[in-house]
Amino acid sequence: TAFCSYTGEILDKKTPLLRSMEVVSEQALRILRLFGNNTATRVTTTVGPEQEYFLVDKKYFDQREDLVITGRTLFGAKPPKGQELEDHYFGNIKQRVSDYMKDLDKELWKLGIYAKTKHNEVAPAQHELAPIFTTSNIAADHNQLTMEIMKKIALQHGLVCLLHEKPFAGVNGSGKHNNWSISSNDGQNLLDPGDTPQDNMQFLTFLCAIIKAVDEYAPLLRLSAASAGNDHRLGANEAPPAVISMFIGSELEGVIEALENGTTYKKPNGSEEFVIGVDALPNFPKDATDRNRTSPFAFTGNKFEFRMLGSADSISCTNTILNTIVAEVLDEFATTLEKADDFDKALKELLIKTIKEHKRIIFNGNGYSNEWLEEAERRGLPNLVSTVDALPKYTEKKYVSMFEKFKVYSAKEIKSRTEILLENYSKVINIEALTMLDMVKKQILPACISYTKTLCDSAISKDTVGIDSSVEKSLASKISSLTASIVNEVKALDEKVISAQDCEEGEAMARFYRDEVFTQMQTLRASVDECEMCIPEDVWPMPSYTKLLFTV
């Protein structure tokens, strides 16, 4: 459905996505015409979003106020076992989950959503579903429907499907890998190296355009994955860091370097040499290093996988931005090449110039390492750590001008989206803080006080008959001390939540919630989680991580 305001501003996510698909088609066709392709009449971007999710037993979900209200656990001591054995990832799918997956497939197929891949993910109780690729706008619609159907079918199995990016601390969160490609309606995947020198130069042209687009517009890609929930994932050794980089694999990097330096490209085994633009290049096998798992934007054969997106997000914003930034660079390329007297010479010069200026974005190493963050800083790559750092970039003049040039967004539409996203961030943190306060005051503190009394009564009884009561006294003292800390931290959080209302709405308020409220929430959680480890399961007022993660 498309929505617009009384004065004509676009209010939905579908219309900008459709507009971006039109502009990338128009600019890509200009490039194809330069390579002599007069048969293609349209270029389409396609997407296959991999949807990660958790399944928990509904009876335990219903006993967790934090899960019910916020979608994630705000408290929870670490269980004895997490994901360190990787036995869930490589293990069999449990029967109850398998039954759910089969019913989910059937319902999705009825709607024309071709769900195909399904498997366990790394964290306990975590799984993934992936559909067959389709055009970007249909893929976005399908993914929205998929998330709704996933939750609906889960209830039929006595389960709850959690789509929050980080429902449990200490184990991996959930993302949504956005596999993006671009194809013409005469049967060419434009990210697939061809069998002739001309086809390969065409492939390298589109590849270099994407390299430049990702480098120049990295903040836009980063903010397309920005949310309060996704901030828990990015850079936590389970998802890419907040620094945008591109993985293209060692063989393709060798081709790029050969083109830049004007040398021949040698296959890794040294058996053959290829002159870029003269010889047909070899097929590029999917890189075997598996480092694409740590890269935000990875070339994986004939597509790019954008891995930053959060599991609860719509894919529309990401693909609107991706389509538009690629269209912008293709427009620049086409404008330059259409004026050239010698196309081959101008093309080679353009590609070499692009590689020299934008190769800093290419990184095939381990994106999880601290060394990469230091290297990225030396390269001048932006590191927009949180949502609050990323969202204000939306309204920068360079980006607004690009969107207005292609009539994807107006300046007013971008400003309103930025304000709404910042407001949503503040509201999410505020709701989480209020939920924490409610749980502590009504459930956790009463449990702590009650069990402390039980221990004290036991100690008095033992003392009366002359039995050693040191264990009860020691444990009661520890819980009493933790309870006092919790009370103080609750008071501090209460004050910060109230103070947040005095901030100016927008970026200032969002920063206060991130720097002050969220930080205090983490402090409170640490004390509560420590207290949970001291109190019996039948006294603690909510199901433990062990029950939530290991009983489905």
Side-chain angles (χ1 to χ4, degrees), residues 488-521:
N488 290 333
E489 287 152 13
V490 163
K491 181 181 178 182
L493 182 56
D494 254 327
E495 291 172 352
K496 290 184 184 296
V497 169
I498 293 170
S499 297
Q501 307 312 309
D502 296 329
C503 295
E504 183 181 352
E505 290 186 357
E507 184 180 347
M509 180 176 283
R511 287 192 181 279
F512 186 89
Y513 271 105
R514 182 197 64 182
D515 297 338
E516 301 294 335
V517 177
F518 181 74
T519 300
Q520 182 58 33
M521 288 166 61

Side-chain angles (χ1 to χ4, degrees), residues 1-71:
T1 304
F3 294 96
C4 65
S5 70
Y6 182 76
T7 51
E9 286 80 22
I10 293 302
L11 305 177
D12 65 303
K13 296 183 178 183
K14 190 175 187 66
T15 302
L17 177 59
L18 290 169
R19 289 173 174 174
S20 73
M21 292 174 68
E22 288 297 319
V23 298
V24 77
S25 175
E26 179 183 337
Q27 302 308 322
L29 284 173
R30 291 173 66 193
I31 297 294
L32 292 180
R33 296 290 183 262
L34 289 166
F35 280 94
N37 183 332
N38 294 310
T39 58
T41 58
R42 184 171 184 81
V43 170
T44 305
T45 55
T46 54
V47 175
E50 302 171 30
Q51 179 70 56
E52 294 178 341
Y53 60 98
F54 281 81
L55 291 175
V56 298
D57 197 300
K58 189 176 186 301
K59 67 175 179 286
Y60 295 134
F61 172 88
D62 289 340
Q63 297 173 47
R64 297 277 318 207
E65 182 182 347
D66 47 5
L67 280 178
V68 171
I69 292 179
T70 72

Side-chain angles (χ1 to χ4, degrees), residues 31 90 109 150 160 187 191 205 229 233 251 290 292 300 386 438 446 478 492 531 541:
I31 297 294
F90 293 105
W109 294 340
M150 288 169 75
V160 174
L191 296 181
T205 301
R233 288 178 62 243
E251 287 214 20
D290 207 28
N292 62 302
T300 54
S386 75
D438 194 59
K478 181 177 182 180
C531 204

Side-chain angles (χ1 to χ4, degrees), residues 16-34 37 39-46 135-137 180-186 188 190 206 319-331 334 338 406 408:
L17 177 59
L18 290 169
R19 289 173 174 174
S20 73
M21 292 174 68
E22 288 297 319
V23 298
V24 77
S25 175
E26 179 183 337
Q27 302 308 322
L29 284 173
R30 291 173 66 193
I31 297 294
L32 292 180
R33 296 290 183 262
L34 289 166
N37 183 332
T39 58
T41 58
R42 184 171 184 81
V43 170
T44 305
T45 55
T46 54
T135 55
S136 298
N137 63 313
W180 179 91
S181 194
I182 181 168
S183 305
S184 62
N185 64 349
D186 63 349
Q188 290 187 76
L190 303 182
F206 280 96
N319 288 289
T320 297
I321 288 172
L322 188 50
N323 292 343
T324 307
I325 64 176
V326 171
E328 169 71 0
V329 178
L330 291 176
D331 177 34
E338 285 166 352
F406 290 117
V408 173

